[in-house]
Amino acid sequence: MFDRKMTELGKERSAIRELFEYGNARKKQIGEEKVFDFSIGNPSVPAPACVEDEIVRLLQTEPAEKLHGYSSAAGLPAVRKAVASYIQTTFGVPMSEDLVYMTCGASASLVVALSALLRAGEEVVVPVPYFPEYAVFVDAAGGKLVPVSTDERFHLDLGAIERAIGERTRAVLVNSPNNPTGAVYAEEEMRALGEILAKKSAEYGAPVFLVADEPYRELVYGEPPVYPMAVYKDTVVLYSFSKSLSLAGERIGYIAVSPQCGHADELFAAVCGAGRAHGYVCAPVLFQRVAAACLGMVSDVGAYRANRDLLYTALSDMGYACIVPEGAFYLFVKTLEPDAKAFAEQAKAHELLLVPSDSFGVEGYVRVSYCVARETIERSLPAFAALYAHYRGARGDRRAPFRRK
Ligand SMILES: Cc1ncc(COP(=O)(O)O)c(C=O)c1O
């Protein structure tokens, strides 16, 4: 009756959203504190003070039309300028305000950038596991997602990426710090990726773009990640303030096209065209201004680190197999039976809401979002122990259930 693909997409709902809705209903039934909701990546720590300060300042000093009226389609010139100069000074790469497009968060950045880059049927190589919406966005842009394996720590398998790039490959899409694994790609890994892309671009006589989805850039527990534009010239960075400033509901981010891209102006024109075609013009103006005033500020990463340490140590001690996250706020845990969906269903019996890994492109894991109150993790530990005991008997049985294919 209506567009078949869109109807199916609407009815299907993402596994994450489905679980999130289930959690909300369940909390109403049995009480908020009895449900251990690790489903969604909603930042749990407050925005840094500069956010509220700037909102208040703007509301008190600026006329309404400067806060709630339209901006240029690509964003306010002063905001684009601030973003470009931030990128330039922080990461030491050339950047121009003419190549910055303000968007409604990383989702919009992905839709717009992929639509600008991809011609019908072109391929996007994506390391697995990946953020499930990539499949939706690549498909909506008329492309084909080509999954490639990662290594045992969920870092890049450069050989697999090289083998996956063919003449129809338009881009490699990477996400570091990674959702759902917490992997943060090392500088040498990114440089090696850049070299492969340069080699393949030369081989096929057309650029293979590096598309870097970076909503978690600042949420790292070690060295800050190298800036993608510093390792490869045909790079487009997609950024969002959803996580760094805990502003997920305000829908604000940007696309930055590297000035070193061949035909950067043409690519930026395509970005503007894609923004127009998808109705993503003029990102929320109040939050464009707030974000520009808070560039480089980050909400309390220490709280996420403490959650990571608590959860990782406790689950590892119980016998669960997982790799210590280097960034973001997700723990990717090997399931205790091969069917991740069945395992996540069993977890629900213990009021644990864990996202099965199938929609992330791999089998046999669940994602635990630890962007929750510390007490939630503390109170959930007996439930994790009971879930473990359900499968392996006595708590503390350390027979390794963990084998990556
Ligand atoms: C890897 C990744 N990309 C994109 C997004 C979308 O972010 P936004 O809220 O900015 O649209 C998310 C959200 O969780 C994400 O994890």
Side-chain angles (χ1 to χ4, degrees):
M1 196 190 300
F2 302 102
D3 183 80
R4 191 178 51 79
K5 210 164 156 181
M6 293 302 150
T7 311
E8 277 171 12
L9 207 50
K11 285 189 177 169
E12 226 172 51
R13 257 215 313 231
S14 87
I16 301 171
R17 291 266 157 197
E18 183 105 46
L19 199 58
F20 178 62
E21 301 302 343
Y22 167 86
N24 288 340
R26 188 74 181 142
K27 284 171 200 167
K28 278 201 190 119
Q29 263 174 2
I30 65 166
E32 186 107 3
E33 69 299 334
K34 295 209 177 90
V35 182
F36 309 117
D37 186 352
F38 297 103
S39 64
I40 204 164
N42 222 353
S44 52
V45 302
C50 63
V51 168
E52 191 177 326
D53 292 349
E54 185 62 7
I55 294 173
V56 170
R57 191 190 72 77
L58 287 168
L59 291 178
Q60 286 175 347
T61 57
E62 294 285 328
E65 71 274 14
K66 288 205 167 171
L67 299 179
H68 311 301
Y70 288 123
S71 72
S72 307
L76 289 163
V79 170
R80 296 170 65 202
K81 192 170 176 185
V83 169
S85 112
Y86 175 77
I87 291 174
Q88 205 158 334
T89 52
T90 311
F91 307 116
V93 294
M95 193 57 220
S96 158
E97 62 209 77
D98 298 331
L99 297 173
V100 173
Y101 190 94
M102 299 305 295
T103 64
C104 302
S107 305
S109 301
L110 281 155
V111 170
V112 171
L114 291 170
S115 302
L117 284 168
L118 298 181
R119 293 159 299 191
E122 285 185 329
E123 296 176 353
V124 181
V125 171
V126 184
V128 292
Y130 54 78
F131 178 54
E133 295 307 278
Y134 287 172
V136 178
F137 299 152
V138 170
D139 186 54
K144 185 170 168 253
L145 188 150
V146 177
V148 287
S149 56
T150 47
D151 71 12
E152 65 292 339
R153 288 174 55 241
F154 302 111
H155 277 245
L156 297 176
D157 179 342
L158 293 161
I161 292 178
E162 185 162 1
R163 286 190 296 279
I165 297 175
E167 55 190 357
R168 297 202 59 73
T169 308
R170 186 61 157 165
V172 174
L173 169 56
V174 295
N175 165 227
S176 166
N178 186 267
N179 173 8
T181 66
V184 179
Y185 304 150
E187 177 164 349
E188 58 274 22
E189 206 174 345
M190 289 296 288
R191 288 203 182 276
L193 175 64
E195 281 164 24
I196 290 170
L197 297 183
K199 185 174 127 193
K200 287 289 172 183
S201 300
E203 190 177 323
Y204 292 113
V208 178
F209 288 88
L210 173 59
V211 178
D213 179 28
E214 303 219 306
Y216 303 95
R217 161 157 284 277
E218 296 81 6
L219 304 187
V220 285
Y221 310 117
E223 288 293 300
V226 66
Y227 201 60
M229 288 181 195
V231 302
Y232 184 59
K233 73 180 186 63
D234 290 307
T235 295
V236 180
V237 170
L238 313 180
Y239 187 76
S240 166
F241 297 93
S242 288
K243 317 287 175 172
S244 58
L245 295 183
S246 299
L247 286 179
E250 305 302 348
R251 317 307 303 134
I252 189 75
Y254 59 79
I255 298 170
V257 172
S258 171
Q260 298 178 89
C261 274
H263 309 287
D265 294 337
E266 279 294 294
L267 173 52
F268 192 74
V271 165
C272 294
R276 186 176 168 194
H278 290 287
Y280 279 127
V281 289
C282 170
V285 166
L286 173 60
F287 280 91
Q288 285 189 47
R289 297 189 63 172
V290 171
C294 299
L295 286 163
M297 302 291 173
V298 192
S299 49
D300 180 12
V301 183
Y304 296 133
R305 179 197 289 272
N307 282 0
R308 174 197 73 156
D309 293 347
L310 174 63
L311 190 65
Y312 172 77
T313 309
L315 295 199
S316 303
D317 284 350
M318 283 176 205
Y320 287 98
C322 40
I323 280 159
V324 64
E326 300 160 300
F329 38 50
Y330 307 103
L331 187 65
F332 209 46
V333 181
K334 189 85 181 108
T335 53
L336 301 174
E337 65 170 297
D339 183 343
K341 283 190 183 138
F343 180 78
E345 276 308 309
Q346 186 58 42
K348 274 186 189 168
H350 301 271
E351 308 301 345
L352 288 168
L353 308 190
L354 317 176
V355 184
S357 62
D358 308 68
S359 58
F360 297 96
V362 289
E363 291 170 2
Y365 293 83
V366 280
R367 187 192 74 174
V368 188
S369 301
Y370 56 82
C371 43
V372 295
R374 185 178 170 85
E375 306 78 69
T376 304
I377 298 179
E378 284 165 351
R379 284 189 291 100
S380 74
L381 295 181
F384 275 108
L387 178 63
Y388 191 87
H390 173 84
Y391 285 97
R392 294 283 190 273
R395 182 188 156 113
D397 178 349
R398 280 171 174 277
R399 270 172 306 155
F402 183 54
R403 283 274 180 284
R404 279 204 86 199
K405 275 185 256 163

